[in-house]
Each structure stands twice: as structure tokens, then as C-alpha cells.
Amino acid sequence: MNVPTLEDWYELGAKELRGREIDDLNKTTPEGIKIKPVYTKRDVPDSIEKELPGFEPYTRGVRATMYANQPWTIRQYAGFSTAEESNAFYRKNLKAGQKGLSVAFDLATHRGYDSDHPRVAGDVGKAGVAIDTVEDMKILFDGIPLDEMSVSMTMNGAVIPVLAMFIVAGEEQGVDRSKLSGTIQNDILKEFMVRNTFIYPPEFSMRIIGDIIEYTSQDMPKYNSISISGYHMQEAGATLAQELAFTLADGMEYVREAKKKGLDIDAFAGRLSFFFCIGMNVFMEAAKLRAARQIWSKIMTNLGAKSERSKMLRTHCQTSGVSLTEQDPYNNVVRTAYEAMAAVLGGTQSLHTNSFDEAIALPTETSARIARNTQLILQYETGVTDVVDPLGGSFYVEALTQGLVDQAWDMINEIEAEGGMTKAIEKGLPKLKIEQAAAKRQARVDKGEDVVIGVNKYRLEEEDPINILEIDNAAVRKSQISRINKVKVVRDSQACNSTLEKLKDIAENGNGNILRAAVECARARATLGEISNALEDVFGRHQPITRVIKGVYSDAYKEDPIYINIQANIQKYEHEKGTAPRILIAKMGQDGHDRGAKIIATAFADLGFGVNMTDLFSTPDEVAELAIISEVDAIGISSLAAGHKTLVPELIDVLKKLSRDDIKIFVGGVIPEQDYSFLKEAGVIDIFGPGTNVLDAAYSVFAAISGKSRNT
């Protein structure tokens, strides 16, 4: 029997397609990588035959035996309002098979505010645990031996006080800092691109990172000083190639910053780790992790690393939050399982699996158990741990890996041409590229080109209600304020103030290590807000520039009849009224996730609305003032961190007091259906949850402003 050739396959395929071209089967990814229906040896580099796990460039894994010897760490990310509740959750999960802790902090903590600060009234205890003092940190880890348990903390803006308090909590538990193990995220460049939980400007933030790397390399040899994160980039809309390139470019910048402090690259690089998002394209995501290891090995070699450990990219992964849907949410159990499998096939070192209800609210105990058990089933029931790099040698996966390597390397070179990632971020270039990619992705979903089951295909006529976790924000804040006051009463105020003055002096003059000074502040019971304010007095607080990009939706929808109809109605309204319908897109509270707000602003501007945007972190008073000055007809409030029940009614009350309750209020984002009636009773016109078609939202807003129905 003759061995079939690729040409034979083309001939057979053409017969099956009955006149259509084989090229009709080709797909193109958002990265621009062409996907063919069949791959052969011709599509992969010859070098892959020589690659083995545990050896440079580590494409096939950073360890020779990987999961065949020891499975990945199950590290579930969680924080529930108070330190007491979070501690109880951690201890229960550890008994049920979880192997490491990953702490989620509330937004007030992220932004360096104590719980009693007036700007965070709607944020305390929402989306994570509130930490104001060392006493909170001690309660958080009560009964959890910090010399035995690896602790990961997702903290960037207030990284100095949080890490200082963790060190002191360990000491007072009897654990020397040299025995503490785990990871602090400490990845501030990513915050300036997407997540926005920064405090200080980029230049000073980079100095803080250098001091943390220095301190941990000297005093905490078991602790990872930084987790360089691409997760929030993908969540904000980045393509996989952008996530890969921008994350590794951030890593290059951090290595250079540490080298500026005179540190030998091999003295600290082995403690660097990474954090990637895992979305629904299973093979692309697996290829992304393989490509990341290959590129990082090359980068570190070029930067002068000699140690093999310095060249190994070790990563934590988390399944995608943005892939979770409010509609038909039990589908999210399946999505998370596929994403977890992709992370494992890609060779992650640890993994968090999202709960199915996280598109709506913080996870319940039941949904968190399902998420954790997803990993246990993967480890014990699927056989996936039996073989190292099971996708290695796949023509398709190897081609994808190489395609991502090539694309990411080109992007890294572009960033280097700008002078590195800090300079590129100061110019706003990565942020703009991610926002453009996000808008294109949303347009594809709205048009049905990218299918999301339960959202734009096979949607249920009626959704079944699900139980959600409700946080009493006011009660949590009251409790936190009480504990702050107790700490301030019993501490030695003179000694505390002395440590804070020393911290300010070091920040201003550079004559010491900022983290080392902050540890002294934490011992003296300075609060998180006081430590952050001491640094803010020297460095200032960063205020980002908010921009509305245009053209993405108009390009995607230029021949769409629904889009054209809305646009025509808006043009008619403008002709009749002398002005376009105007909307202010607002972000209130300390939630910095602005993907949804930017997408709405982009789409509405392309349709012809007059669009303004508030700065991030606005108060209800500031939003009301800008709305009146801008003469808008409506305000669209984007909420992703559960502050809507506090902040939206407050905004409506402010507008009433200013006699401008004629301005229409809309809310979008992660809003539990159980909150809809509360918001509408407060005066909200309409609510747009995750998965809402942007054109449907535009119809609703225009109808409310114009008084005309959709069919008018």
C-alpha cells in the first residue's frame, strides 16, 4: 500500500467538499494565526525532535518528570470580606485537599486605603478580604502554620504594607521571615495597562519593586518576590500573543530594575514566577504556556543568566473570568473544566479554577467546592498526570507554539524599540492595543461570529435563579473601623509616627530599603493606609488618562442593518434636537476593571452618541458634577466589584439634591439578578449584565433618552 501524501489529502478533501476550496476550511485566530484543517511535519521546526522536558529551552516543561512525579499545586484564590470568614474558608479547603493558599484582597486594601476612608464606603469587604492592620493579617492566618503553608497574595498597589504585615504576622506566629514561602504578585506594570489597582506613578512603583526583590533575595530565600501577570491582560481583552509578549516584556523590565540595584541576576531570577489566564481555546492556551517557557529562556540568556533555574519560567494559571457567563451559568462548570485541562496540558505549576457563579457574585461554598473538585478529578481520574507534555510532537500544537513565539517576539522587539515596557506604558501603547483587541472581540460576539453558548446561541428563554453569596458591606466596614480604632488606642503613637517618618525619609532620599522600613512600621502597628499615605506624600498618587477609542465598531458593523438603523435614528435625533444624545460612562469606587466601560464607550461613540467618560475611582458626587457640566442625558455606570448597591443609590440621591433627577441612570457589569429590583426601585432605567449585546443596550439607552421605542 502506498503511503498517502499531502497532495493526496487535498484531492480527497476536495471531493468531500464538492466544489468548495480547501481554503474555505481555514480559520484565522484573533492573533492573526491561520489555522488549517490538517498539519504535517512540514509545519513544525526540525528542532522540536531534540527538545526534552527539563532542558533548555523548556518548551516541554521546566521539570524532567513534571506531573508524572508530582502533580501541580491546587491553589484556589479566595478572600471573603473579613479575615475571620476568609480564615474559616481557607482551613476548610485545606482539609478538603487544597495544597496552597491564594489571598484575594478587597479593593480598598488594593488601593492603599484604610476601611474608614470616605472614598471606599462601597468597597470594603467586596471582592476580597479587608486588611487594615497586622491584627487583621494575624486573624487571616490563625491556625495555619506559615512555616509549612505556601501563601500567594495578589497585591500590587499596596504591596509594601501588605507584605510588611505578612512578615510581622509570621514573626508573631513564631515563624522567621526566612522560612516564609509563597509569592507576592508585585506586578505593577500590568496594573497601568489593564487592572488599574495602582497607587504611585510608574517610575516610583518600579523602585518599590526593586526594593522588594532586594529584601526578599537577602532575607526571604524561599519566597517568590514577584509574579509577573498576564492574567488581567487577557481578561481586559488582549489576544494570547499580546498577553504573552506584554507579560514577558514586563518581566524583562523587572529583571533590569533588580540589576540596577546591583543584584546578581542568578541571585534573584530563580524566585521570579508568572501568572497566566487560561481561556477557552484549548490548544492555543496550551501552546501559549509552551511558547512562554521557550521565549523566557531566550530572554534570560540574553540578559546574562547562567543558572538553569534563572531561565525556567514557572507559572501559576487561573481559568478565565471573562469567559464565565451570567446566562445559563451552569455551563461555566464545563468551561472551567476545559480551561483547567488546557492549563495542565500546557504544563502549569499551580492552578486556580473559577467557580461557576463568579460572573454574578463571589462564589458560594457549594460552587467553590465544585471548582476545587474539578482539579482533583483532573489529577486522579483522567490519566493526564501519567505523561510529561502529552501534546509534545503534535504537528498542530507545535505549529501553534512556534506561531505564538514568532508573534510575541516581534511585539517584544517593538516594545524594546520604545525604550522598554515602562516607556511604552507611559505612552499608553500596550493599553491602547489591548482596548482595541477587546472591542473587536466584543463586536465578534455581538455579531455571532464568536459563539458563546447560552449567550448568542442556544439561549434559554427563561433563566433559573441560583443562590449567590451576599456581603453586608456596611457591617463589614463598621467592624473594620472598630478594629482600626482599637489598634490605634493601644499602640505607642510616638513610636509609630517615628517609624512612618523614617519610611518617608527613605522614600525621599533613597538611603535604605522601603520594605525593610515598612516592616518596622507594621511592627509599631501603623495601619495600611498610614504606610501608603507616607509613601504617597513623597511619590504622589497616579491618575490615569481616560480615552475613548473610535472606529472598531463602525468597521465591524458597517453593513449590519441593525447598526445602520440605530445610527440613522441617532442622526435624525441630532438633526431635530441640534445635539446628539449624550451619555457619561462612569466608574465609581475603587474598581479599576474598565474593559466593559471602554467597550460601551467605543461602541456608543461609533453609533453617534456624544460620549464622555469619568476618571477611574470617581465618587458619586464627582460623577454627578461631571454629568451636569457635560450636559448629558444619561449616565451609564459600570460595576464589577459589587459596589452598585451602595454607590448607585448614592449617585441618584446626589442628582435629586441638585435637581437633575431627569438624567437617566443605567447600570452594567456583574450585577446579580437578585439586585435588579433593588436598583430599579432606586431609579435605574435598565440593567445590562454580562453577555448583553451592545446594540441592544444602545437601543435601550436611545429609547429612554428620545422617548421613542425600538421600532419607531
Side-chain angles (χ1 to χ4, degrees):
M1 179 179 177
N2 293 330
V3 177
T5 64
L6 185 60
E7 288 69 26
D8 293 332
W9 176 84
Y10 270 102
E11 184 178 344
L12 181 59
K15 290 178 181 177
E16 291 178 359
L17 290 173
R18 297 179 182 176
R20 286 191 295 146
E21 298 292 329
I22 287 290
D23 284 348
D24 292 341
L25 299 179
N26 291 343
K27 311 288 184 185
T28 302
T29 72
E31 295 76 20
I33 296 174
K34 185 174 287 188
I35 304 298
K36 305 184 297 181
V38 69
Y39 285 78
T40 70
K41 190 175 181 179
R42 300 182 192 182
D43 298 298
V44 300
D46 293 336
S47 60
I48 66 163
E49 293 183 0
K50 302 174 184 177
E51 292 184 8
L52 287 170
F55 294 91
E56 293 184 50
Y58 305 109
T59 311
R60 302 198 63 190
V62 292
R63 295 281 182 265
T65 54
M66 291 296 287
Y67 310 144
N69 175 46
Q70 182 177 331
W72 66 93
T73 300
I74 300 173
R75 191 185 296 278
Q76 292 297 92
Y77 174 58
F80 292 91
S81 63
T82 66
E84 292 90 342
E85 288 186 45
S86 297
N87 175 263
F89 181 84
Y90 296 155
R91 292 168 74 166
K92 187 177 295 184
N93 271 18
L94 292 172
K95 286 182 180 179
Q98 186 171 314
K99 300 300 183 184
L101 294 180
S102 185
V103 183
F105 297 95
D106 75 353
L107 290 168
T109 303
H110 273 289
R111 294 271 292 145
Y113 293 112
D114 285 335
S115 295
D116 58 2
H117 197 287
R119 294 194 77 91
V120 299
D123 297 298
V124 176
K126 296 287 192 179
V129 60
I131 298 292
D132 293 303
T133 69
V134 168
E135 301 308 317
D136 291 328
M137 195 69 82
K138 288 169 68 177
I139 293 168
L140 186 65
F141 297 111
D142 182 42
I144 298 172
L146 292 177
D147 55 345
E148 299 175 15
M149 184 57 57
S150 170
V151 177
S152 172
M153 295 188 290
T154 300
M155 177 52 62
N156 302 283
V159 63
I160 287 290
V162 165
L163 186 52
M165 289 176 183
F166 175 70
I167 291 167
V168 174
E171 288 176 357
E172 297 187 8
Q173 197 187 85
V175 180
D176 186 80
R177 58 186 176 274
S178 64
K179 295 181 180 179
L180 295 172
S181 65
T183 304
I184 187 83
Q185 190 165 100
N186 192 26
D187 176 12
I188 202 64
L189 290 178
K190 164 261 301 176
E191 299 295 325
F192 293 111
M193 276 187 267
V194 288
R195 190 164 172 255
N196 299 313
T197 55
F198 42 69
I199 301 176
Y200 317 109
E203 181 183 351
F204 297 116
S205 297
M206 288 297 293
R207 181 180 155 198
I208 286 171
I209 285 171
D211 279 10
I212 290 172
I213 293 174
E214 179 183 58
Y215 181 97
T216 53
S217 66
Q218 294 170 355
D219 289 34
M220 301 171 72
K222 297 174 68 178
Y223 202 77
N224 297 324
S225 56
I226 194 165
S227 174
I228 305 153
S229 174
Y231 182 86
H232 301 95
M233 297 180 198
Q234 187 180 144
E235 292 291 273
T239 67
L240 302 196
Q242 287 172 340
E243 179 191 6
L244 188 56
F246 297 161
T247 304
L248 299 183
D250 283 351
M252 293 170 69
E253 202 82 336
Y254 297 139
V255 169
R256 288 173 179 147
E257 186 67 26
K259 289 177 73 175
K260 282 182 192 175
K261 299 191 74 68
L263 296 174
D264 177 75
I265 190 169
D266 289 320
F268 67 85
R271 304 307 307 177
L272 302 179
S273 66
F274 288 79
F275 174 27
F276 286 103
C277 181
I278 304 296
M280 282 299 292
N281 192 327
V282 172
F283 295 108
M284 279 287 285
E285 292 289 0
K288 180 184 73 183
L289 299 186
R290 302 174 87 253
R293 290 192 291 270
Q294 186 180 135
I295 298 171
W296 186 245
S297 176
K298 180 178 179 180
I299 286 170
M300 293 302 285
T301 299
N302 291 347
L303 290 173
K306 301 291 190 293
S307 165
E308 289 184 0
R309 183 168 173 78
S310 298
K311 301 176 185 181
M312 293 178 183
L313 183 146
R314 294 161 301 112
T315 189
H316 172 71
C317 289
Q318 180 174 339
T319 59
S320 173
V322 79
S323 72
L324 303 178
T325 64
E326 180 188 37
Q327 297 83 2
D328 208 356
Y330 292 109
N331 288 340
N332 296 331
V333 176
V334 182
R335 292 187 177 101
T336 296
Y338 285 133
E339 290 170 349
M341 177 69 85
V344 170
L345 291 174
T348 189
Q349 277 60 66
S350 64
L351 179 62
H352 166 95
T353 32
N354 286 332
S355 299
F356 72 83
D357 50 1
E358 288 188 63
I360 305 166
L362 284 172
T364 63
E365 187 173 324
T366 297
S367 65
R369 185 185 73 250
I370 293 170
R372 182 190 64 247
N373 287 351
T374 298
Q375 295 198 52
L376 292 172
I377 290 166
L378 263 179
Q379 286 189 356
Y380 289 101
E381 298 187 27
T382 64
V384 77
T385 60
D386 295 344
V387 177
V388 180
D389 189 26
L391 297 183
S394 157
F395 298 140
Y396 176 42
V397 173
E398 297 293 359
L400 289 180
T401 301
Q402 190 61 47
L404 286 169
V405 166
D406 293 342
Q407 280 211 359
W409 195 252
D410 287 344
M411 291 181 188
I412 290 169
N413 286 334
E414 289 175 10
I415 293 163
E416 290 292 281
E418 295 292 340
M421 187 52 103
T422 303
K423 296 294 184 185
I425 284 172
E426 287 172 351
K427 295 177 183 177
L429 300 179
K431 187 177 183 69
L432 179 61
K433 288 180 182 295
I434 290 172
E435 288 172 0
Q436 290 171 335
K440 289 176 181 177
R441 158 69 175 166
Q442 187 61 46
R444 291 195 305 272
V445 171
D446 286 347
K447 293 179 72 177
E449 293 172 357
D450 288 2
V451 173
V452 183
I453 301 301
V455 175
N456 61 8
K457 199 175 184 69
Y458 305 116
R459 185 160 183 164
L460 295 175
E461 292 185 9
E462 186 174 338
E463 298 279 349
D464 294 328
I466 64 169
N467 294 324
I468 64 166
L469 182 67
E470 182 76 22
I471 301 295
D472 187 341
N473 164 243
V476 174
R477 187 167 188 250
K478 182 179 178 181
S479 171
Q480 289 298 123
I481 292 172
S482 174
R483 192 142 60 211
I484 292 171
N485 292 337
K486 287 178 183 176
V487 168
K488 288 182 176 180
V489 167
V490 300
R491 74 187 182 184
D492 184 333
S493 296
Q494 186 175 353
C496 181
N497 290 336
S498 176
T499 63
L500 289 168
E501 286 301 317
K502 183 179 179 181
L503 175 65
K504 287 173 67 173
D505 179 66
I506 288 172
E508 191 164 10
N509 299 314
N511 54 357
N513 185 285
I514 289 172
L515 177 56
R516 197 173 299 280
V519 170
E520 296 300 320
C521 297
R523 284 198 191 107
R525 288 324 191 249
T527 68
L528 175 133
E530 288 170 336
I531 295 172
S532 295
N533 286 340
L535 296 175
E536 187 179 339
D537 287 345
V538 178
F539 298 152
R541 185 173 277 265
H542 179 67
Q543 183 61 50
I545 298 171
T546 302
R547 296 179 299 191
V548 178
I549 61 174
K550 293 185 178 181
V552 172
Y553 265 76
S554 57
D555 287 346
Y557 278 92
K558 54 190 172 186
E559 297 178 1
D560 184 90
I562 298 175
Y563 184 89
I564 293 168
N565 179 257
I566 302 173
Q567 210 169 40
N569 281 324
I570 290 172
Q571 289 170 356
K572 182 180 178 183
Y573 177 95
E574 184 174 7
H575 179 74
E576 292 173 352
K577 301 289 186 179
T579 181
R582 300 194 61 80
I583 185 168
L584 175 67
I585 307 297
K587 289 291 298 184
M588 294 193 293
Q590 299 307 305
D591 170 31
H593 294 86
D594 59 354
R595 172 182 180 165
K598 291 287 183 67
I599 286 172
I600 290 294
T602 296
F604 276 43
D606 282 357
L607 282 164
F609 283 89
V611 177
N612 285 49
M613 291 193 74
T614 67
D615 289 331
L616 287 169
F617 319 120
S618 295
T619 65
D621 287 298
E622 290 165 346
V623 172
E625 181 182 1
L626 182 58
I628 292 169
I629 291 171
S630 304
E631 299 181 337
V632 300
D633 305 292
I635 301 173
I637 301 160
S638 173
S639 175
L640 274 82
H644 51 270
K645 291 184 74 173
T646 302
L647 297 169
V648 173
E650 190 176 331
L651 171 62
I652 291 170
D653 287 342
V654 172
L655 290 170
K656 284 180 181 176
K657 289 175 184 175
L658 296 172
S659 301
R660 288 306 313 270
D661 50 344
D662 59 304
I663 296 175
K664 310 293 191 297
I665 305 295
F666 297 85
V667 180
V670 179
I671 315 291
E673 193 170 349
Q674 289 89 325
D675 292 351
Y676 281 23
S677 59
F678 170 87
L679 291 173
K680 289 189 175 181
E681 286 171 11
V684 172
I685 301 296
D686 206 349
I687 300 162
F688 310 120
T692 299
N693 184 288
V694 172
L695 298 187
D696 289 340
Y699 264 125
S700 179
V701 173
F702 178 72
I705 292 173
S706 65
K708 298 177 180 179
S709 70
R710 177 170 180 154
N711 296 319
T712 301

